[in-house]
């Protein structure tokens, strides 16, 4: 289950247990249901200040190609690191879809049909994806490492 709020997630998980137990009781099951958690990760909640700093670096590096997306319910173990170490973290995505395929899907109102990273049809275009990913990493790092500067520095292509 993916949610945007830990309290909502807790409520949903409790509701699933409650409903399953009630169904077992109602059907006269000989014993209560067994629940097994296969995996669980905390919600990824980017630090606002760190996100603003990284976003500024991305806008400086990529211009209009740097886009701020809507909140997503990414289920990643990524946030475990920041939470464990008590440090701010920022999770971002680098687009990898062929630009012509993206433009075609956008024109057709079918962006949701493009394969994502968990799809067996996902095949990012190596160029410019690899270059953009590297530039994103370097830009984000420079935003933190270039502490003497008031604004993020561009990373040379």
């Amino acid at each position: 289950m993916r949610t945007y709020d830990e309290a909502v997630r807790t409520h949903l998980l409790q509701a699933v247990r409650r409903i399953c137990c009630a169904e077992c009781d109602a059907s006269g099951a000989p014993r209560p249901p067994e629940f097994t958690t296969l995996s669980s990760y905390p919600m990824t909640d980017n630090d606002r200040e760190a996100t603003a700093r990284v976003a500024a670096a991305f806008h400086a590096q990529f211009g209009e190609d740097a886009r701020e997306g809507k909140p997503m319910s990414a289920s990643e173990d990524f946030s475990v690191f920041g939470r464990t170490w008590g440090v701010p973290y920022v999770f971002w995505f680098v687009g990898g879809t062929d630009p012509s395929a993206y433009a075609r899907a956008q024109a057709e109102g079918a962006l949701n049909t493009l394969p994502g990273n968990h799809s067996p049809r996902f095949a990012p275009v190596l160029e410019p994806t690899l270059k953009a990913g590297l530039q994103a990493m370097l830009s984000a790092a420079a935003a933190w490492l270039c502490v003497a500067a008031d604004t993020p520095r561009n990373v040379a292509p």
Side-chain angles (χ1 to χ4, degrees):
M1 259 180 232
R2 295 179 178 182
T3 64
Y4 296 104
D5 183 277
E6 291 289 348
V8 170
R9 179 176 182 236
T10 299
H11 175 76
L12 290 173
L13 289 171
Q14 290 172 344
V16 167
R17 285 182 178 269
R18 189 174 59 252
I19 291 167
C20 289
C21 290
E23 287 294 329
C24 285
D25 286 343
S27 65
R31 65 182 208 269
E34 295 178 17
F35 297 93
T36 303
T37 301
L38 300 178
S39 63
S40 179
Y41 301 103
M43 183 176 75
T44 299
D45 189 19
N46 286 347
D47 179 85
R48 290 184 192 275
E49 187 176 316
T51 298
R53 193 172 191 171
V54 170
F58 287 173
H59 285 291
Q61 177 65 39
F62 300 108
E64 290 183 16
D65 287 337
R67 298 184 186 103
E68 294 179 35
K70 298 175 186 174
M72 298 180 69
S73 57
S75 176
E76 299 288 340
D77 59 356
F78 172 80
S79 66
V80 172
F81 298 112
R83 289 170 184 259
T84 300
W85 298 326
V87 296
Y89 60 84
V90 181
F91 185 87
W92 68 79
F93 292 94
V94 174
T97 302
D98 179 276
S100 61
Y102 186 90
R104 189 170 46 255
Q106 188 173 34
E108 296 169 359
L111 287 176
N112 62 340
T113 64
L114 294 172
N117 62 332
H118 293 293
S119 167
R121 298 179 315 153
F122 181 62
V125 179
L126 287 180
E127 183 56 45
T129 304
L130 195 56
K131 181 178 178 182
L134 180 59
Q135 287 176 326
M137 289 293 294
L138 293 172
S139 296
W144 295 98
L145 297 174
C146 299
V147 293
D150 290 333
T151 57
R153 297 181 181 161
N154 282 353
V155 177

